[in-house]
Amino acid sequence: MYNKISIKLKALFCFSLILAFLSVFFLFHTKVYAKNIDYTFKVGQNVSINSPYSKPQDNFEYILEPISKDAPLPEAKNKTYNFSLKADEEKQINIEYQKPGEYKYKLYQNKTDIKNVTQDKEVYTLFIKIIKKDGQLVKDEIMIINSSNKKVEEMNFHNIYKITSQEKAKNKKKISAVVATGIKENFILLILIILVARRLFILINNSRDKEKV
């Protein structure tokens, strides 16, 4: 019986040693950071038109696509992050990083079927390097490259509307029709006002004549 107790004690001692070893191993090898780190950047869109008309308010869709493996996306999206911009609009985009690494993305416009517009075909490459320093995650390097392989500070897109002569003629006809309709409606309203005023004038005079009698 003594031997059985001795064997159990030895087994328990060995198990305790293994457990202590594993605890120490994971304590010193698990990557624990005080907090995640964010990177925020701006995407801008500018619209121009070759006519005196006001700028169209169409929406243009943009795609942020990860190139490197395990690159996180805004709002914890998968595969791609899609968003839209209207007219001269800007958008702030935020990405959260949880571990060190070199992350690469490309940003471009999705093709549209909007008429009379030439989209900006620029494709930006965004490079972000996150490192560990003193137990914290820090942004070590950030770089934006355009399609000409030049380093830039911002990501901006310029879409151009080109209204043809035929389209301009159609728009002028529409404007003329709207103006003519407005004049006609105002004229009818004026006639109605005159008739109502005349009727009131007659009623007032009749009432005065009765009072005199």
Side-chain angles (χ1 to χ4, degrees):
M1 184 175 177
Y2 175 78
N3 290 335
K4 288 182 179 181
I5 294 174
S6 178
I7 291 171
K8 288 182 179 180
L9 289 174
K10 288 180 179 179
L12 182 62
F13 178 74
C14 291
F15 177 76
S16 300
L17 283 178
I18 294 171
L19 187 62
F21 173 78
L22 291 174
S23 299
V24 172
F25 177 82
F26 284 110
L27 179 65
F28 286 97
H29 287 79
T30 302
K31 296 179 180 180
V32 178
Y33 305 106
K35 61 178 181 178
N36 300 332
I37 188 169
D38 292 345
Y39 171 60
T40 301
F41 60 94
K42 181 183 72 174
V43 178
Q45 175 182 276
N46 176 258
V47 169
S48 61
I49 184 170
N50 66 333
S51 71
Y53 306 121
S54 60
K55 290 185 178 183
Q57 299 296 306
D58 298 310
N59 283 312
F60 293 91
E61 186 182 26
Y62 291 83
I63 300 174
L64 180 66
E65 181 181 337
I67 299 175
S68 57
K69 186 180 179 181
D70 299 329
L73 286 169
E75 302 173 14
K77 295 292 184 180
N78 294 320
K79 295 183 179 180
T80 61
Y81 174 69
N82 295 31
F83 62 95
S84 61
L85 296 176
K86 180 171 64 176
D88 296 341
E89 190 176 14
E90 295 179 347
K91 182 177 178 65
Q92 298 285 340
I93 297 176
N94 183 74
I95 305 178
E96 184 181 51
Y97 295 93
Q98 300 178 352
K99 60 182 180 179
E102 295 183 0
Y103 303 101
K104 202 173 182 181
Y105 306 83
K106 63 179 179 179
L107 176 69
Y108 55 93
Q109 278 194 78
N110 196 12
K111 190 175 181 181
T112 184
D113 57 358
I114 298 172
K115 293 182 179 179
N116 304 316
V117 66
T118 301
Q119 286 181 272
D120 194 331
K121 296 181 180 179
E122 184 67 74
V123 178
Y124 291 101
T125 301
L126 174 63
F127 175 80
I128 303 168
K129 185 178 180 181
I130 306 294
I131 63 172
K132 176 187 174 183
K133 187 176 182 181
D134 298 329
Q136 303 287 334
L137 293 177
V138 296
K139 290 171 282 191
D140 182 63
E141 185 179 2
I142 297 171
M143 188 165 50
I144 303 171
I145 306 295
N146 63 14
S147 298
S148 302
N149 204 31
K150 293 181 179 179
K151 186 177 179 180
V152 295
E153 297 298 325
E154 296 181 338
M155 290 179 277
N156 294 309
F157 295 84
H158 184 202
N159 295 330
I160 304 172
Y161 285 86
K162 293 182 179 179
I163 309 299
T164 62
S165 299
Q166 293 179 347
E167 290 289 335
K168 288 181 180 179
K170 287 181 181 179
N171 289 332
K172 284 182 180 179
K173 287 181 180 179
K174 288 180 181 179
I175 293 172
S176 299
V178 170
V179 172
T181 302
I183 292 173
K184 183 179 179 180
E185 289 176 351
N186 290 334
F187 180 75
I188 293 172
L189 181 62
L190 180 62
I191 295 297
L192 289 174
I193 291 172
I194 292 172
L195 291 174
V196 171
R198 184 174 178 275
R199 181 62 179 169
L200 288 173
F201 179 75
I202 293 171
L203 289 173
I204 292 170
N205 284 338
N206 289 338
S207 63
R208 285 179 180 177
D209 292 339
K210 288 180 181 179
E211 289 176 358
K212 289 179 180 179
V213 173

